[in-house]
Amino acid sequence: MNYQQNLIYFVLTDQIKLTNMQNFELEGNRTYEQELSIKAAITSFMTKVYGWMTFALVISALTAFAVANSEQALTFIFSSKYVFYGLIIAEFGLVIAISAAINKLSYSVLSFLFVLYSLINGATISVIFLAYTMSSIANTFVVCAAMFGSMSVFGFITKKDLSGLGKIMIMGLIGIIIASIVNIFTASSTFDWIISFIGVIVFVGLTAYDTQKLKNMSLTINNEEMAKKLSIIGALTLYLDFINLFLYLLKFLGNKKD
């Protein structure tokens, strides 16, 4: 499950290159009016990003819960490998469409594709409700939200350029993807534990890096329509950070059902 989310995140970052400005150069030379304008632009853009991310998480959570409590839905999705892998392929296709065709698609179409992706992803991760107790899932979600929130705040307020950290985390992500695919065949519980531990570190770091990257990118947008489109990309990026972090934490904090 985790390697699938990792691959989707990697596809997203490989498809679109978000602008990374170096710590807002000439900061000391800006006027008070310019400072206000910059802060307003950042606030407006990041509000859209977090709004869409939160909306997508709610959709995925409700979908996962609904599927897990529907015998017909579970049978349809997981009884046939063609259906399940078809949904996985659809997720990859949607991420590529959202990121690669951003200049061609309208904001409404991008919004629809993002909601559709959230629904499909919720369906594919619904198995967590069958494997883990509800209380441990809820507790893990709270821990994940606290970790994600604190690292996102750090990425937003820090003056330190995190692009170097981002490169290291991306390399770590590639290693996790390769190791996860290998472990499909070896099925080593110890290896899986190590991968999960590294996965938590990687997505904690990526949360801070992606937040700073999006904050910096907000200053390069010159029209409202593009700002709304890029807020979808930003929301998808942070959504994947959250989902991956949650799934890795669940390996440590989740209590398996008897």
Side-chain angles (χ1 to χ4, degrees):
M1 181 63 66
N2 288 102
Y3 82 90
Q4 165 212 332
Q5 299 294 330
N6 294 336
L7 280 168
I8 291 173
Y9 179 93
F10 185 73
V11 167
L12 174 64
T13 55
D14 187 58
Q15 284 292 320
I16 183 165
K17 308 301 180 183
L18 302 181
T19 303
N20 184 24
M21 299 171 61
Q22 298 297 318
N23 288 321
F24 307 109
E25 293 181 347
L26 303 178
E27 182 175 352
N29 298 326
R30 294 198 296 257
T31 65
Y32 177 71
E33 289 75 15
Q34 289 174 325
E35 288 282 356
L36 289 179
S37 177
I38 288 172
K39 289 180 180 179
I42 293 173
T43 300
S44 176
F45 179 73
M46 295 305 291
T47 298
K48 293 185 180 72
V49 169
Y50 286 119
W52 272 112
M53 184 203 76
T54 302
F55 183 55
L57 288 173
V58 171
I59 290 175
S60 294
L62 292 177
T63 302
F65 184 77
V67 170
N69 286 277
S70 171
E71 185 176 347
Q72 293 85 354
L74 287 172
T75 301
F76 174 73
I77 295 173
F78 298 105
S79 64
S80 170
K81 62 181 180 180
Y82 298 107
V83 174
F84 178 74
Y85 286 113
L87 292 176
I88 301 299
I89 293 171
E91 288 188 64
F92 278 100
L94 286 170
V95 169
I96 293 173
I98 291 171
S99 57
I102 185 171
N103 292 317
K104 299 178 181 179
L105 300 177
S106 67
Y107 174 63
S108 58
V109 172
L110 286 172
S111 302
F112 171 76
L113 294 179
F114 185 36
V115 170
L116 180 59
Y117 173 80
S118 304
L119 285 166
I120 296 175
N121 195 46
T124 58
I125 67 174
S126 61
V127 289
I128 65 173
F129 287 100
L130 303 181
Y132 298 95
T133 63
M134 181 66 73
S135 60
S136 67
I137 291 174
N139 291 337
T140 302
F141 181 86
V142 172
V143 173
C144 180
M147 292 178 65
F148 177 90
S150 60
M151 292 309 299
S152 192
V153 169
F154 170 75
F156 188 84
I157 67 176
T158 185
K159 299 295 183 180
K160 181 178 176 58
D161 179 23
L162 300 180
S163 57
L165 173 66
K167 292 177 182 178
I168 295 173
M169 293 299 103
I170 291 296
M171 287 189 292
L173 176 62
I174 295 173
I176 290 173
I177 293 172
I178 296 172
S180 297
I181 294 174
V182 171
N183 202 40
I184 293 175
F185 303 98
T186 60
S188 169
S189 58
T190 301
F191 197 26
D192 185 56
W193 188 92
I194 294 172
I195 292 171
S196 298
F197 179 77
I198 297 174
V200 170
I201 296 174
V202 165
F203 281 98
V204 163
L206 284 174
T207 297
Y209 165 68
D210 286 333
T211 300
Q212 185 182 76
K213 180 175 63 175
L214 292 169
K215 175 186 174 182
N216 292 348
M217 187 185 69
S218 67
L219 300 181
T220 70
I221 306 171
N222 53 20
N223 67 79
E224 181 63 23
E225 180 67 16
M226 183 53 67
K228 292 193 294 184
K229 289 183 179 182
L230 288 175
S231 70
I232 298 293
I233 298 293
L236 178 56
T237 302
L238 294 184
Y239 168 92
L240 288 170
D241 286 336
F242 190 100
I243 290 292
N244 277 288
L245 180 58
F246 171 76
L247 291 175
Y248 280 123
L249 284 172
L250 196 59
K251 296 284 186 70
F252 296 103
L253 304 178
N255 294 323
K256 293 287 186 67
K257 289 184 176 179
D258 295 329

